[in-house]
Amino acid sequence: MSKNKKIIIAIDGYSSTGKSTLAKHLAKEVGYVYVDTGAMYRAVAYYSMTQGLIDKEHFNKEGLIADLDKIDLSFEFNAALGYAEMFLNGKNVESFIRSIEVSNMVSKVASISEVREKLVEQQQKMALHKGIVMDGRDIGTVVFPQAELKLFMTASAEKRAHRRYKEMIDNGVRIEYNTVLDNVTSRDYLDTTRADSPLVKADDAIEIDNSDMTVEQTYITAMNYVNKKLSE
Ligand code: DC
């Protein structure tokens, strides 16, 4: 494996396919920076909710677009955790942005072109020196069409909902499995059908269906592709 060669690893795919877990693990193994772009969209959704710009019935899109200059997103590396945490206007929002409430709003916010433009520009600047693992929905198609390695993660909706449900229950969240499944399927729909940068597999992406794989098996499969690419 060429230790000096630095590449961009783009990981896209459906929600709850273990993209973040995989991306974090790969980044740690090869000593790259990991960027969770979903956290950025979640932080914008959280901002919109706290400012009263979005709720179940209403979405003040113009208000959000007008506020975009007031939204400062940054990542700060947490050495104890081993990855960077999401900050919104200087405040650590990690504990807020993973809630089901934010999950239910985020796809709407992510469909706004002005939001995407701002976030994509920031994401592209993060990879000026390569050596990055970035996960999201449009990384291999829009953010880094030139990425050296593109992975596209899939799994059945039921398997993904079960994983997410278990994770939430383990974290003490009281929720019904069907609520989680509804969130997974409606996000799939919104993410794949939106006009701007829909979730789609890039032609040169490698698809990994991990419906019947453990986290470790998924990692080993992906790491083989990384090693192959680094030794080319
Ligand atoms: O990966 P995640 O579930 O945390 O992402 C949250 C939402 O953000 C997801 O429903 C779609 C959107 N998203 C996006 O549109 N583009 C990205 N690059 C990352 C996430």
Side-chain angles (χ1 to χ4, degrees):
M1 180 167 106
S2 160
K3 288 270 178 217
N4 298 323
K5 182 173 166 183
K6 290 226 186 237
I7 64 168
I8 293 175
I9 302 174
I11 305 183
D12 289 304
Y14 291 88
S15 62
S16 303
T17 44
K19 294 188 300 294
S20 315
T21 307
L22 172 65
K24 264 182 221 159
H25 198 166
L26 291 179
K28 199 168 175 198
E29 180 66 23
V30 289
Y32 282 13
V33 171
Y34 161 60
V35 179
D36 173 1
T37 62
M40 298 171 76
Y41 288 93
R42 285 172 179 274
V44 176
Y46 176 68
Y47 174 91
S48 309
M49 290 161 75
T50 55
Q51 297 300 311
L53 295 167
I54 193 169
D55 58 32
K56 270 189 191 151
E57 282 90 37
H58 308 100
F59 184 14
N60 177 359
K61 291 180 194 171
E62 289 69 32
L64 172 58
I65 294 167
D67 260 13
L68 280 177
D69 283 345
K70 294 187 201 155
I71 301 177
D72 177 63
L73 302 174
S74 58
F75 285 101
E76 276 187 33
F77 188 74
N78 180 326
L81 293 172
Y83 59 84
E85 294 183 294
M86 186 79 249
F87 280 67
L88 166 67
N89 293 335
K91 178 183 161 187
N92 186 332
V93 289
E94 277 296 324
S95 59
F96 305 108
I97 61 173
R98 317 278 170 194
S99 68
I100 191 85
E101 290 79 14
V102 171
S103 298
N104 282 333
M105 299 296 156
V106 64
S107 290
K108 285 188 205 161
V109 167
S111 70
I112 307 298
S113 294
E114 287 82 352
V115 171
R116 305 201 69 84
E117 237 166 69
K118 176 185 165 100
L119 269 49
V120 167
E121 196 188 320
Q122 193 172 347
Q123 289 153 9
Q124 288 171 335
K125 282 187 188 149
M126 291 176 191
L128 289 180
H129 305 290
K130 298 209 173 188
I132 197 159
V133 183
M134 193 175 277
D135 81 340
R137 303 293 188 286
D138 59 343
I139 312 306
T141 50
V142 176
V143 184
F144 301 123
Q146 79 285 16
E148 288 85 352
L149 180 63
K150 300 179 186 177
L151 302 176
F152 189 82
M153 314 298 297
T154 65
S156 74
E158 289 73 19
K159 285 274 166 73
R160 289 184 284 130
H162 268 296
R163 288 175 193 159
R164 188 90 190 96
Y165 171 73
K166 189 176 175 307
E167 198 178 286
M168 294 177 103
I169 294 293
D170 289 349
N171 285 329
V173 179
R174 287 170 58 124
I175 195 150
E176 297 286 323
Y177 166 74
N178 281 333
T179 307
V180 181
L181 181 61
D182 284 350
N183 175 258
V184 164
T185 49
S186 72
R187 276 209 285 159
D188 284 358
Y189 177 76
L190 290 170
D191 292 344
T192 52
T193 58
R194 69 173 173 234
D196 189 348
S197 318
L199 169 64
V200 56
K201 177 183 163 301
D203 290 341
D204 52 349
I206 299 161
E207 183 165 332
I208 300 177
D209 181 336
N210 66 12
S211 300
D212 299 311
M213 286 187 195
T214 62
V215 171
E216 189 60 19
Q217 286 167 335
T218 305
Y219 167 71
I220 291 169
T221 305
M223 197 59 215
N224 279 337
Y225 290 119
V226 173
N227 282 331
K228 209 169 142 216
K229 190 51 78 174
L230 289 177
S231 61
E232 272 174 8

